[in-house]
Amino acid sequence: MAGQAALDPRAAATVFPAMTSLHIYGVDAIDVNPLATHPTLIRITTPPTCRLLNADKLPATIKLN
């Protein structure tokens, strides 16, 4: 996924419904709102330069970086 300007994480959430962490690399921005209702996700890790869009919509149970 290197070089992408933005990432839509819905595919990962669909393919891996039991994931507890998601590590994102090589993107400039990620909209984390689609992950807000994921049943088992507890951590999202991104590079320090990645913009997190709609991070305020995540529940307190999902930690960022």
Side-chain angles (χ1 to χ4, degrees):
M1 297 196 176
Q4 289 187 0
L7 176 71
D8 183 351
R10 283 181 275 220
T14 302
V15 175
F16 303 106
M19 71 177 167
T20 57
S21 64
L22 179 62
H23 303 277
I24 305 294
Y25 299 99
V27 294
D28 296 328
I30 179 172
D31 182 0
V32 293
N33 190 36
L35 299 171
T37 59
H38 195 280
T40 58
L41 188 63
I42 56 174
R43 177 167 298 283
I44 300 171
T45 305
T46 63
T49 57
C50 181
R51 291 178 298 130
L52 298 171
L53 309 174
N54 296 313
D56 58 329
K57 303 226 166 94
L58 287 178
T61 57
I62 298 178
K63 306 298 180 210
L64 297 173
N65 291 347

